[in-house]
Amino acid sequence: MREGGEGGLFALALGGFGIGLTEFLIAGLLPQVASSFAVSEAAAGRLISGYALSVAVGAIVLTAATARLPRKGVLVGLMALFVIGNLLSAVASSYPVMLLGRVVAALCHGSFFGIGSLVARGLVEPERKSRAVAVMFAGLTVANVLGVPFGALVGERWGWRAAFWAVTAIGVLALAGIVVLVPGRAGRPGSTPLTGRSDPVPPSGMRAQVRAFRSGQVWLTLAATALGYGGMFGAFSYLAYTFTEVGGFSSGDVAWLLMVYGVGLVVGNLIGGRAADRDRDRALVLSLLGLTVTLVVFGLLAASAVASVVLVFLTGVFGFAGVPGLITRVTDFAQGAALAASANVSASNIGNALGAWLGGLAITAGLGYTAPLYVGAGTVLAAVVIMVVAANQVRSSGRRTGRPC
């Protein structure tokens, strides 16, 4: 870890934590928000779907628009946008203003994680880049654990607006942290990493950013990302039904079971970052294969309460273990193009939507509440095949997969 690296990574992780909170906490606040603005449950639900759509769009648009700007400055601007969006939500006097606040906050999501992952890996030695990305994403995974209960607790005690004021404050702290703790050189898209190594210069122009997508390895990695996420979240979207209708849990048990899943995400993220730094493609294949097997076994043993607890934890572990490696892989083959890093975030959100849709189709077809687990397993298995093909292509061509960008 170079001087200043730890502080910079902490600031990025805090930003990720705030962004994760604003994404997840709304689920525990929907009834209060719907009542406050006198809107239907479906309208309140658009505060979630509208956010997700804005993430996918913002990741590409904002990254493309800021391609030539210093990365540190872009991160500062994105966190400022995040603060403004949550402030709008906190003071919203009507449903349209609330929705606008959600959209504004969401626009920074994909670009922050895409550009932030490039800055994070530039704060450490090249052989630790996946671990650095994992540290940054630790904020998001912890938010996944705490988001819904945090929103529900704060909302119940002080009202839903207090939750958004709290997230706004976290955003201000993260903004200050990035300004103070992230080294200025980390913000130059045309500079080499801060490790003294002579590495390829990341493309900064829009044309050069787009040219990065000529690499077949970039597209294979994006496909693996979409299918891997799609399988995991396709199963996750219907776990509440699996727990209550198949496992015999009460509706009150769902919250702590989902927290077990969230703890698995945190553990998987940290393990996956270390594994990817040792042998990235092998770690990715094994994590995706582990998720495939876990989902199948989960479907078979869903009626067992004990097995369900263990398997929902393992779903989180294997589901997020591949994230750091997928991000560093796509950016390595894109020669450090920020647009590719943000496209990886968009791919994950597209996968989320695809997985939830396929899982819903399986339930609608009358296949039962374990069907999304099997559908998710099949989707992730397709990601395994893609990663095996991608790894074999690299091995046969003799190209290095770990070039720092």
Side-chain angles (χ1 to χ4, degrees), residues 193-248:
L194 307 180
T195 56
R197 291 278 296 268
S198 178
D199 297 315
V201 177
S204 57
M206 193 57 219
R207 221 173 253 183
Q209 293 272 329
V210 173
R211 276 201 300 270
F213 288 89
R214 291 180 179 177
S215 168
Q217 288 293 324
V218 168
W219 287 106
L220 288 171
T221 310
L222 291 176
T225 297
L227 292 170
Y229 267 91
M232 177 177 66
F233 281 97
F236 172 78
S237 299
Y238 302 97
L239 279 180
Y241 295 103
T242 307
F243 289 140
T244 56
E245 301 298 326
V246 182

Side-chain angles (χ1 to χ4, degrees), residues 75-132:
L75 288 176
V76 169
L78 291 172
M79 283 310 302
L81 194 66
F82 172 78
V83 170
I84 292 170
N86 282 285
L87 185 60
L88 275 175
S89 294
V91 303
S93 58
S94 64
Y95 172 79
V97 176
M98 177 71 175
L99 182 59
L100 175 63
R102 292 288 291 168
V103 169
V104 170
L107 288 174
C108 78
H109 184 128
S111 293
F112 182 86
F113 284 109
I115 296 172
S117 65
L118 294 174
V119 172
R121 59 184 288 167
L123 295 174
V124 300
E125 295 78 9
E127 61 271 16
R128 294 171 57 89
K129 59 190 173 184
S130 292
R131 273 174 280 185

Side-chain angles (χ1 to χ4, degrees), residues 3 8 10 79 130 133 159 169 177 203 212 234 263-264 285 331 352 373:
E3 184 179 355
F10 174 78
M79 283 310 302
S130 292
V133 171
V263 172
V285 170
T331 49
N352 295 351
L373 294 166

Side-chain angles (χ1 to χ4, degrees), residues 170-182:
I170 292 171
V172 171
L173 289 175
L175 175 60
I178 291 170
V179 170
V180 175
L181 299 175
V182 174

Side-chain angles (χ1 to χ4, degrees), residues 250-328:
S250 70
S251 57
D253 291 325
V254 172
W256 70 261
L257 286 165
L258 294 182
M259 288 187 69
V260 171
Y261 167 80
V263 172
L265 295 181
V266 175
V267 173
N269 175 57
L270 297 177
I271 292 175
R274 289 182 173 274
D277 280 334
R278 289 194 292 269
D279 188 335
R280 186 170 54 199
D281 282 356
R282 182 172 182 270
L284 289 174
V285 170
L286 289 177
S287 65
L288 291 168
L289 189 59
L291 179 58
T292 303
V293 173
T294 298
L295 291 176
V296 170
V297 176
F298 200 166
L300 295 172
L301 301 181
S304 166
V306 174
S308 292
V309 174
V310 174
L311 290 164
V312 76
F313 172 75
L314 291 177
T315 298
V317 171
F318 286 114
F320 223 83
V323 171
L326 286 168
I327 291 175
T328 57

